[in-house]
Amino acid sequence: MGKIDIKTNEYMRDATRFADVFNYYLYDGRQVIKPEKLRELSSSAVALPYGTERNSSEAVQKYRDVFKTLAAMEDDTAAYLLLGIENQAEEHTAMPVRNMLYDATQYARQVEDAARSHLAERKQNREKLEAGQPVEGEKISSGEFLSGFYKSDKLLPVITLVIYWSPDEWNAPRSIHEMLALPDKELLKFLPDYRINLISPKEIDDMNFEKFHSEMAEALQYIKYSKDKANLERVINENPKFKHLDRRTAEVVNVVTNSNLKFEDGETEVNMCVALEEMKKESEQNSKLEDIKNIMKNLQMTFTKQN
């Protein structure tokens, strides 16, 4: 896993930030998903395809390796899967398929959990009957018995959200239909589509950053303008929160945008106005040194030719 993957995954496992991005995307910023209600899911439980645990350990490890940038939580309403894409690589051009696998795997896990629960319940009922104790429970059909999933069982909805940690546009496919080689478009109506849910900083209007309730607003706004120095200075100077930015947020944007910001040891808050100014000074000094080196190199070449 790359440095960006590690940093962003660690950053987004915080329940407050995790809930914040889903509330922004799903509920237009309304605080519906409560951080204190979220329970972290095992990434391996989410990543393993249906039935894989019965197969080779090699297959299990393969999927764990592929999906280790995933953060997952659930509450009593839904399961939420969060996937970060590092900005130093190209967009994931098969993201609709990848996310569809995440969601299907999570649904499969819920089915298997229900089957294990019912199996344990039936075993307990048999033991009660053998002991002459009364047994309560609904009568099930052969189909329910074979699948382990009863008609009364319900699945938690699974929602996967992709954060594109990049100032660039997302130009990769956003749906399964976009990826299909299908000359006969009439067939599309028989092929279920699957669209990704994507947060891309470049697509967020400046006014909509106010819909975030954590420092995700500042993180994504910095990323959005990281290649536009004039606008970056403007938003940092206009937003007072940038003067007291949490150290972890500052470190994330620094790694993601490769800004080369310098932080003091031990500081828990960062004044991004000062950090940006120091970065500019260092960049100017480096540029001057490079100019001097080039001048010296040219003089040396001229002197060599003359002799």
Side-chain angles (χ1 to χ4, degrees):
M1 212 167 23
K3 187 176 182 181
I4 292 177
D5 289 325
I6 294 171
K7 203 73 177 177
T8 56
N9 184 252
E10 180 185 76
Y11 185 69
M12 293 312 304
R13 289 181 70 174
D14 174 81
T16 298
R17 288 188 281 268
F18 190 101
D20 195 24
V21 294
F22 275 98
N23 281 325
Y24 164 79
Y25 192 85
L26 301 178
Y27 300 109
D28 203 32
R30 288 183 292 117
Q31 301 300 282
V32 176
I33 301 171
K34 306 297 183 183
E36 64 273 14
K37 297 289 186 181
L38 292 173
R39 304 177 294 273
E40 188 166 4
L41 292 172
S42 164
S43 59
S44 61
V46 176
L48 295 178
Y50 187 72
T52 299
E53 68 271 17
R54 303 187 189 93
N55 299 329
S56 70
S57 58
E58 182 180 349
V60 171
Q61 188 58 48
K62 172 186 174 184
Y63 281 99
R64 283 179 176 160
D65 288 344
V66 171
F67 298 136
K68 56 190 172 184
T69 58
L70 180 75
M73 297 190 188
E74 68 178 355
D75 55 20
D76 295 331
T77 304
Y80 310 98
L81 312 183
L82 185 62
L83 183 66
I85 305 301
E86 66 175 74
N87 75 301
Q88 291 182 344
E90 295 293 330
E91 307 101 325
H92 197 299
T93 52
M95 188 54 65
V97 173
R98 188 178 185 184
N99 281 17
M100 185 169 62
L101 178 58
Y102 275 132
D103 294 354
T105 300
Q106 179 61 15
Y107 285 128
R109 184 189 72 88
Q110 293 183 44
V111 170
E112 290 201 336
D113 285 348
R116 279 193 292 269
S117 175
H118 292 315
L119 182 62
E121 183 183 19
R122 291 198 299 270
K123 181 180 178 182
Q124 188 179 52
N125 286 342
R126 284 197 303 270
E127 291 173 352
K128 284 184 178 181
L129 286 172
E130 290 172 359
Q133 298 175 4
V135 173
E136 295 181 2
E138 57 183 319
K139 187 176 180 180
I140 62 172
S141 67
S142 58
E144 290 173 307
F145 178 83
L146 289 172
S147 68
F149 193 80
Y150 295 0
K151 292 176 182 177
S152 58
D153 291 330
K154 299 297 179 185
L155 297 172
L156 281 178
V158 181
I159 303 168
T160 299
L161 177 58
V162 177
I163 297 182
Y164 185 40
W165 299 92
S166 172
D168 299 324
E169 292 183 10
W170 177 274
N171 292 313
R174 300 188 184 214
S175 72
I176 292 291
H177 280 189
E178 290 178 51
M179 299 175 65
L180 297 176
L182 194 66
D184 186 358
K185 301 302 181 184
E186 286 293 312
L187 295 179
L188 279 176
K189 60 187 176 184
F190 301 105
L191 295 165
D193 199 5
Y194 182 91
R195 297 190 60 83
I196 64 171
N197 301 306
L198 177 73
I199 289 182
S200 174
K202 192 174 183 66
E203 297 175 4
I204 301 176
D205 186 88
D206 278 354
M207 294 186 64
N208 286 334
F209 284 109
E210 298 178 359
K211 296 176 181 178
F212 289 97
H213 292 257
S214 72
E215 288 191 333
M216 283 302 301
E218 286 68 49
L220 295 173
Q221 194 169 33
Y222 185 101
I223 293 168
K224 176 180 179 178
Y225 291 115
S226 59
K227 290 185 176 181
D228 182 350
K229 301 307 179 186
N231 270 317
L232 181 60
E233 286 189 57
R234 175 184 60 80
V235 298
I236 287 179
N237 289 320
E238 288 178 356
N239 185 349
K241 291 182 180 179
F242 275 111
K243 293 183 179 180
H244 305 280
L245 200 65
D246 178 77
R247 172 68 175 262
R248 288 166 296 183
T249 302
E251 288 178 346
V252 164
V253 299
N254 194 33
V255 170
V256 168
T257 61
N258 197 26
S259 292
N260 198 31
L261 299 170
K262 305 298 181 185
F263 309 126
E264 295 293 332
D265 291 338
E267 64 179 346
T268 58
E269 289 187 348
V270 176
N271 186 328
M272 294 297 284
C273 300
V274 174
L276 193 63
E277 193 61 35
E278 290 176 350
M279 181 189 72
K280 285 172 58 182
K281 288 179 181 178
E282 183 175 342
S283 177
E284 289 171 359
Q285 289 173 354
N286 289 338
S287 179
K288 289 178 181 179
L289 286 173
E290 193 63 33
D291 289 342
I292 293 171
K293 286 180 182 179
N294 288 332
I295 292 171
M296 294 299 293
K297 184 178 179 181
N298 290 333
L299 287 172
Q300 186 177 16
M301 290 175 63
T302 303
F303 179 79
T304 302
K305 287 178 180 179
Q306 290 175 350
N307 291 278

